[in-house]
């Protein structure tokens, strides 16, 4: 799977656990040296980062003799370097979204064409409910490739005659992911010949007239779940996806959403998990957004979806855990510079301030904000960078920019999270908006922080909030 959150070893797992450092080291150099020895002298380059790790993953799985490998594509499918498996057991396409438009295309139909590139002749494939036109494209791609494509029934259909299924992953969107996972697992069990002993019937192609919401893709039948399947759904964990960390008065809500559809799902989850809770009786509640986005994503569109959550502060920073990443090789990114990413953060800051100001006229909950007339410049002598609107106001206004995650998290936590050191008291945050915010954050009975917009941002936050993940 990709990307990794804290350590690169997360990408290659056996029995659900990242391979050990020794195993990673062993296979890394084995693959690297073999490629170095055999590369074409005329084109003396090595595979790019993702391609190398894909080759290495396949080698690890073969050498360690795994029974089954679950391989997630990197970007798209058709031209993705994972798409060299000639005869997989089964293929799955989850809910489509607009992402990586410079590579995959700028419409859902173009993206569906790319995703359908993983279909293989005679290999069953499953997808979940999709918009009509993208589903048509998936159907056409399946027909081109002589691949039987099925639509997954809703998870509700598996609950008939049994108790409601409990999912370990929060969020309504995870129900379609769970339904897809069940069909993929069932197909593997069918290949093993285990269906009869588990009480699962054979998969039978439904007649062509079977449609879901009028969409002409055969609907796969629901089936009675085994106890192991029910347990698997209940106990599934996936770091950085709808994850909640309660650290005393500070609660961190982490979700790597980075597309329009996933941010919408994130907002629904956050509202249910945090905003619907009663405010503390013994004091105030402060809500903070920590956001960054990368690549060619439309950050203005993503931020607009987050405005209705009524954040008291919006904090923007790069995905770097520290300004210097020399001691954190797993999270280095050689494709960007600090100047590039800080410029992006400043653009996000201006966009957020504009969106909040526009929202004021539509939402009586928000007080009238003050205009942004400039930015506080960095103070090199202090070794710190803080950029905020020039006029302070206590709530629903300040948008702050920090040069790294460590500084951003420390300011938000104000020494109240045992995993984070308190921010420096020697004038590191000289601006009145930051100072006043610090008082509110220190005195609030509850601080609720949503970290979203990038899986890399969430990974960096996890590295600081859960130090054990770095071991």
């Amino acid at each position: 799977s990709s990307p990794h959150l804290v350590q690169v070893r997360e990408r290659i797992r056996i029995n659900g656990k990242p391979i050990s450092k020794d195993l990673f080291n062993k296979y890394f150099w084995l693959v690297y040296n073999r490629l170095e020895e055999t590369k074409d002298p005329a084109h003396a380059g090595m595979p790019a980062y993702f391609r190398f790790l894909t080759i290495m993953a396949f080698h690890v799985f073969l050498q360690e003799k795994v029974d089954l490998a679950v391989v997630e594509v990197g970007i798209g499918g058709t031209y993705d370097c994972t798409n060299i498996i000639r005869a997989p057991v089964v293929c799955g396409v989850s809910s489509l979204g607009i992402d990586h438009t410079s590579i995959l295309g700028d419409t859902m139909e173009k993206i569906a064409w790319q995703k359908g590139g993983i279909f293989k002749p005679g290999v069953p494939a499953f997808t979940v409910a999709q918009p009509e036109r993208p589903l048509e494209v998936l159907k056409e791609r399946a027909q081109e490739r002589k691949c039987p494509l099925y639509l997954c029934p809703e998870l509700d259909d598996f609950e008939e005659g049994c108790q409601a299924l409990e999912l370990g992953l929060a969020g309504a969107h995870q129900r379609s992911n769970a339904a897809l996972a069940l069909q993929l697992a069932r197909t593997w069990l069918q290949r093993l010949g285990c269906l009869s002993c588990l009480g699962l019937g054979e998969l039978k192609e439904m007649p062509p007239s079977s449609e879901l919401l009028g969409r002409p893709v055969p609907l796969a039948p629901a089936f009675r779940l085994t106890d192991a399947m029910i347990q698997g759904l209940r106990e599934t964990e996936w770091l950085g996806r709808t994850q909640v960390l309660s650290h005393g008065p500070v609660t961190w809500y982490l979700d790597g959403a980075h597309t329009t559809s996933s941010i919408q799902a994130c907002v629904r989850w956050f509202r249910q998990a945090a905003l619907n809770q009663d405010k503390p009786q013994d004091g105030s509640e402060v809500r903070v957004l920590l956001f960054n986005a990368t690549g060619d994503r439309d950050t203005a569109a993503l931020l607009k979806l987050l405005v209705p959550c009524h954040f008291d502060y919006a904090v923007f920073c790069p995905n770097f855990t520290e300004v210097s990443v020399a001691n954190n090789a797993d999270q280095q990114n050689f494709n960007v510079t600090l100047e590039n990413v800080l410029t992006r953060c400043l653009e996000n800051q201006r966009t957020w301030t504009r969106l909040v100001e526009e929202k004021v006229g539509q939402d009586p909950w928000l007080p009238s904000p003050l205009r942004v007339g400039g930015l506080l410049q960095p103070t090199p002598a202090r070794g710190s960078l803080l950029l905020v609107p020039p006029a302070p106001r206590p709530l629903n206004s300040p948008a702050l920019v920090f040069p790294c995650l460590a500084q951003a998290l420390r300011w938000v936590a104000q020494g109240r999270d045992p995993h984070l050191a308190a921010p420096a008291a020697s004038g590191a945050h000289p601006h009145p908006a930051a100072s006043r915010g610090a008082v509110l954050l220190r005195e609030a009975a509850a601080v609720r922080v949503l970290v979203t917009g990038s899986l890399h941002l969430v990974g960096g936050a996890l590295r600081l909030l859960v130090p054990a993940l770095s071991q």
Side-chain angles (χ1 to χ4, degrees):
S1 63
S2 65
H4 63 272
L5 294 174
V6 178
Q7 297 194 72
V8 68
R9 296 181 294 112
E10 298 165 24
R11 294 174 181 244
I12 307 173
R13 299 168 183 257
I14 296 179
N15 293 331
K17 295 181 180 178
I19 60 173
S20 68
K21 290 182 180 180
D22 288 344
L23 211 57
F24 186 94
N25 186 55
K26 168 188 169 182
Y27 285 120
F28 177 92
W29 288 113
L30 195 155
V31 173
Y32 185 94
N33 291 334
R34 184 65 58 83
L35 290 171
E36 184 69 38
E37 293 163 6
T38 58
K39 67 185 180 186
D40 182 355
H43 305 90
M46 292 288 277
Y49 184 81
F50 182 85
R51 188 171 299 183
F52 180 91
L53 288 173
T54 301
I55 296 167
M56 181 177 160
F58 287 142
H59 187 74
V60 170
F61 293 149
L62 289 167
Q63 293 299 308
E64 295 297 312
K65 297 179 172 55
V66 300
D67 302 300
L68 170 71
V70 181
V71 179
E72 180 200 32
V73 302
I75 295 176
T78 299
Y79 303 116
D80 191 81
C81 66
T82 58
N83 196 27
I84 63 167
I85 304 171
R86 296 186 180 90
V89 173
V90 63
C91 297
V93 177
S94 57
S95 182
L96 297 172
I98 298 287
D99 197 15
H100 302 294
T101 53
S102 61
I103 300 172
L104 303 182
D106 55 2
T107 68
M108 293 276 275
E109 289 80 3
K110 292 176 182 176
I111 290 171
W113 187 91
Q114 296 279 358
K115 301 286 186 181
I118 66 170
F119 296 157
K120 301 292 185 291
V123 174
F126 295 88
T127 189
V128 297
Q130 310 279 10
E132 185 173 358
R133 274 300 299 142
L135 187 64
E136 284 285 349
V137 173
L138 288 176
K139 177 188 174 186
E140 290 163 7
R141 291 286 272 164
Q143 290 173 337
E144 285 171 15
R145 293 167 172 265
K146 298 179 173 55
C147 160
L149 176 65
Y150 302 91
L151 208 54
C152 293
E154 299 291 337
L155 196 60
D156 294 354
D157 296 338
F158 292 91
E159 295 177 342
E160 291 182 13
C162 67
Q163 75 272 23
L165 293 171
E166 181 184 344
L167 299 187
L169 297 177
H173 58 292
Q174 296 294 356
R175 293 183 67 81
S176 70
N177 289 336
L180 178 59
L182 288 172
Q183 296 291 349
L184 301 181
R186 183 185 184 285
T187 306
W188 166 243
L189 293 172
Q190 181 175 343
R191 167 71 71 90
L192 290 183
C194 294
L195 294 186
S196 57
C197 58
L198 292 173
L200 299 168
E202 289 291 318
L203 176 65
K204 295 187 173 116
E205 184 164 342
M206 303 292 282
S209 60
S210 296
E211 297 176 3
L212 181 64
L213 303 177
R215 293 164 185 167
V217 172
L219 182 63
F223 49 88
R224 187 174 67 81
L225 303 187
T226 64
D227 291 341
M229 289 176 169
I230 294 169
Q231 180 184 357
L233 294 177
R234 183 175 63 247
E235 296 181 0
T236 295
E237 296 178 350
W238 201 248
L239 295 179
R241 281 78 167 178
T242 60
Q243 183 179 2
V244 180
L245 297 174
S246 296
H247 291 183
V250 186
T251 305
W252 306 90
Y253 300 85
L254 304 135
D255 191 72
H258 51 271
T259 66
T260 301
S261 55
S262 61
I263 287 285
Q264 288 172 329
C266 172
V267 167
R268 288 193 295 270
W269 162 70
F270 182 65
R271 282 180 175 275
Q272 184 175 10
L275 303 189
N276 289 343
Q277 294 184 5
D278 294 333
K279 284 205 172 188
Q281 295 179 352
D282 57 343
S284 63
E285 171 187 288
V286 177
R287 301 169 188 164
V288 182
L289 170 66
L290 179 56
F291 179 91
N292 191 43
T294 60
D296 54 6
R297 297 182 176 92
D298 183 353
T299 51
L302 303 183
L303 288 171
K304 187 173 184 177
L305 296 170
L306 291 159
V307 170
C309 291
H310 301 311
F311 292 104
D312 301 314
Y313 295 94
V315 176
F316 302 97
C317 71
N319 295 337
F320 306 138
T321 50
E322 304 281 354
V323 176
S324 170
V325 293
N327 297 322
N328 184 19
D330 286 272
Q331 293 179 318
Q332 282 186 274
N333 185 346
F334 295 101
N335 297 317
V336 296
T337 66
L338 180 60
E339 183 180 3
N340 293 150
V341 294
L342 278 176
T343 299
R344 184 80 175 265
C345 290
L346 289 169
E347 292 171 356
N348 292 340
Q349 179 196 44
R350 286 190 287 269
T351 298
W352 179 262
T353 304
R354 174 179 56 78
L355 289 168
V356 170
E357 289 179 347
E358 291 173 355
K359 184 72 174 169
V360 169
Q362 308 164 20
D363 192 337
W365 188 91
L366 293 169
S368 177
L370 301 176
R371 291 278 168 190
V372 174
L375 294 169
L376 183 69
Q377 295 304 310
T379 310
R382 292 196 180 97
S384 139
L385 174 68
L386 176 69
L387 299 154
V388 298
R393 57 188 191 273
L395 290 176
N396 308 316
S397 58
L400 294 79
V401 174
F402 291 89
C404 66
L405 260 163
Q407 288 192 29
L409 293 179
R410 286 176 192 139
W411 180 81
V412 171
Q414 288 297 314
R416 304 178 75 187
D417 184 325
H419 298 300
L420 297 169
S426 57
H429 304 298
H431 198 275
S435 302
R436 186 177 299 182
V439 172
L440 289 166
L441 290 164
R442 282 195 298 267
E443 294 180 352
V447 179
R448 307 194 190 281
V449 192
L450 175 62
V451 185
T452 193
S454 163
L455 273 168
H456 301 287
L457 178 77
V458 167
L462 278 170
R463 181 174 181 269
L464 295 167
L465 295 170
V466 189
L469 292 175
S470 299
Q471 302 308 310

